[in-house]
Amino acid sequence: QVQLVESGGGLVQPGGSLRLSCAASGSIFVIYTMAWYRQAPGKQRDLVAFVKNGGSISYADSVKGRFTISRDNAKMTVYLQMNNLKPEDTAVYYCNVVGRLVSPADFNSWGQGTQVTVSS
């Protein structure tokens, strides 16, 4: 019932920047967490960053100081600003949102992924 629409991926040179967006839609009562994961070829899906409804934020060590996660609660949208991108950041990036529906029922929804490629 909850749909996530991702955008912002693409091809960028090392040192460049991209901004990912993920907009949630549906009869959502409250969002507990919004997060970004990524999965490179032949690798497992790893957590990149998350923000909780209380405002707490966490980052993977590999992206600290370079990536910034933010949210717009009114728009039910989470963003990932990625600066100083490196080739090892190349992956499919997935949005994940956990919360409660108006129904009521808990949900855990995933976006379909957006490709980020960092290459010369």
Side-chain angles (χ1 to χ4, degrees):
Q1 193 169 359
V2 174
Q3 186 173 2
L4 305 181
V5 179
E6 301 181 22
S7 64
L11 175 64
V12 65
Q13 293 184 330
S17 298
L18 285 173
R19 190 190 190 211
L20 306 183
S21 299
C22 173
S25 62
S27 299
I28 298 173
F29 179 73
V30 64
I31 291 176
Y32 301 144
T33 63
M34 308 185 85
W36 289 97
Y37 291 74
R38 68 185 181 186
Q39 187 168 23
K43 304 293 184 179
Q44 67 183 65
R45 186 174 299 186
D46 293 325
L47 178 67
V48 177
F50 70 82
V51 55
K52 296 185 177 182
N53 58 0
S56 63
I57 293 173
S58 185
Y59 298 96
D61 289 340
S62 59
V63 306
K64 286 181 179 177
R66 300 187 298 119
F67 291 10
T68 302
I69 189 171
S70 61
R71 64 181 180 180
D72 186 328
N73 292 333
K75 296 180 179 180
M76 295 192 296
T77 300
V78 62
Y79 306 93
L80 186 67
Q81 179 66 48
M82 304 183 293
N83 298 326
N84 191 24
L85 283 161
K86 304 175 180 180
E88 51 263 44
D89 295 319
T90 296
V92 177
Y93 284 70
Y94 297 91
C95 177
N96 173 247
V97 180
V98 178
R100 180 171 292 180
L101 302 173
V102 175
S103 307
D106 291 341
F107 69 89
N108 185 333
S109 296
W110 291 86
Q112 294 301 307
T114 183
Q115 178 70 50
V116 172
T117 302
V118 185
S119 177
S120 303

